């Protein structure tokens, strides 16, 4: 974990679409709330808004096309090897998956143990995977939320860093609930990055402890 750094934390963001979480992190860095530098934004999809957002802020944007790797039994691993090369060339300290809709393999996970985070729009371990806002409504949950966690080989399974909860209202649709959750995503992801930058995250097994310089309830951010 980086403590007492003299240079900013070097971050890569991997995104496949809209990039609103990327934007939240860019904004937090530009506002001085997160002490980090985004050294590249990488996508497995061409022409996505996330790459456009990166360009708008003068950040390096890269599209790594999965097509040349397709059709081989180890296509996911070879893709990740190419991605890892890029991350290493950029001397990346921390990798952020932000709406990155591609399962990462052991190639990346082992290179970035406890140095790769993901944001997921549910209160894990409930509802990993896709369409999770609909699943939470259909299940009859009263609370939903979002989770920032370290990435392990199991999808949406890694040690939980921060979660935020929101109510599920009777009239909610998956879209209205997703909007409410997204507001919290944009708060907790930059916060998790800053905690990492400050060297305050300690991982013990499945548990992530936030080293408290002061008394804090950051592990449980509840919100309306
Ligand atoms: C976010 O809601 C994020 O939590 C979700 O995709 C959306 C991306 O939005 N990620 C996952 O479902 C990963 N399992 P964004 O592109 O605007 O950040």
């Amino acid at each position: 974990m980086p403590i007492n750094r003299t240079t900013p934390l070097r971050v890569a963001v991997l995104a496949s679409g809209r990039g609103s979480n990327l934007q939240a992190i860019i904004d937090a860095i530009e506002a001085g709330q997160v002490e980090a530098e985004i050294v590249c934004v990488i996508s497995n999809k061409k022409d996505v808004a996330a790459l456009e957002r990166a360009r708008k802020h003068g950040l390096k944007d890269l599209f790594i096309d999965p097509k040349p790797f397709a059709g081989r039994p180890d296509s996911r691993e070879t893709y990740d090897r190419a991605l890892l090369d890029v991350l290493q060339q950029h001397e990346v300290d921390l990798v952020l998956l932000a709406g990155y809709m591609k399962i990462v393999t052991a190639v990346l996970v082992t290179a970035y143990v406890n140095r790769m985070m993901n944001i997921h729009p549910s209160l894990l371990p409930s509802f990993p995977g896709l369409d999770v806002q609909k699943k939470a409504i259909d299940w009859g949950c009263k609370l939903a939320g979002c989770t920032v966690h370290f990435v392990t080989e199991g999808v949406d399974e890694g040690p939980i860093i921060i979660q935020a909860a929101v109510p599920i209202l009777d009239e909610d649709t998956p879209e209205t609930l997703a909007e409410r959750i997204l507001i919290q995503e944009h708060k907790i992801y930059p916060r998790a990055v800053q905690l990492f930058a400050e060297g305050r995250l300690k991982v013990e097994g499945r548990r992530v402890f936030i080293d408290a310089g002061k008394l804090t309830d950051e592990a449980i951010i509840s919100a309306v």
Side-chain angles (χ1 to χ4, degrees), residues 118 120 124-125 128-129 149-160 206:
N118 179 43
H120 181 75
L124 290 171
H149 64 92
F150 284 117
V151 176
T152 54
E153 281 185 58
V155 175
D156 300 326
E157 263 184 27
I160 291 169
R206 279 217 49 87

Side-chain angles (χ1 to χ4, degrees), residues 14-24 49-50 53 97-102 118-122 124 127-133 145-147 149 155-156 178 181-182 185-186 189:
L14 275 51
S16 303
R18 171 180 63 178
S20 71
N21 277 289
L22 164 68
Q23 188 68 55
R53 289 180 196 265
L97 310 186
Y100 183 61
M101 297 318 223
K102 193 171 193 312
N118 179 43
I119 185 141
H120 181 75
S122 80
L124 290 171
F127 310 118
L130 298 173
D131 299 324
V132 296
Q133 297 90 350
C146 47
T147 303
H149 64 92
V155 175
D156 300 326
I181 294 171
L182 196 62
E185 293 186 40
H186 296 166
Y189 214 177

